[in-house]
Amino acid sequence: MTTNELGTKMGKIAIKAFNFLYDNFSNSPEITDELKQKVKSEREKIFTEFIPLVKQCHTFGEEDVADIGQIMALTYMQGIDDAGTKLQKMASIVESIVHEGGDEAFMRDFMSLSVMFEFLEKPTEDDEERKAMLKHVGLLD
């Protein structure tokens, strides 16, 4: 798969994640056990598709990974209707959920769906939080 194809596929998956979060959180719902389970299920479904692409991305050199990230970002921005407004609203939703804290598994599920671009780079040895997130989504053993 070329860098263009990989970036495009990854961008489309990131759009699915964004739309899921936006559709389920933009109206400030109460975070119930049912909603937590829905987020977990969606994260598992999305990352089943996303992880093989990330692993393939990690086989490329730095310049290619940067190209993949740019293509992913372009695909992402072009694929979200009214992206500016929705991204601003999502940023405030993420901030609110992070501020509230709570259930660690839910936070990792939610955050992994909201920061998909972060998975393009491999973690550094001393980045324990990032490693924990990578383990949570299945990218590290």
Side-chain angles (χ1 to χ4, degrees), residues 32 44 49 53 82 99:
T32 62
E44 289 170 349
E49 189 178 357
L53 300 177
D82 195 17
H99 180 71

Side-chain angles (χ1 to χ4, degrees), residues 31-79:
I31 299 175
T32 62
D33 288 342
E34 182 181 328
L35 183 56
K36 289 177 184 179
Q37 183 57 46
K38 191 175 180 181
V39 170
K40 178 182 179 179
S41 296
E42 188 67 14
R43 193 258 318 146
E44 289 170 349
K45 184 173 87 176
I46 285 176
F47 275 84
T48 296
E49 189 178 357
F50 194 63
I51 287 172
L53 300 177
V54 171
K55 287 181 177 180
Q56 186 173 356
C57 178
H58 288 172
T59 67
F60 287 92
E62 272 185 50
E63 284 184 30
D64 286 334
V65 172
D67 289 345
I68 291 166
Q70 289 175 343
I71 294 162
M72 182 180 175
L74 182 61
T75 301
Y76 181 78
M77 292 302 293
Q78 290 175 339

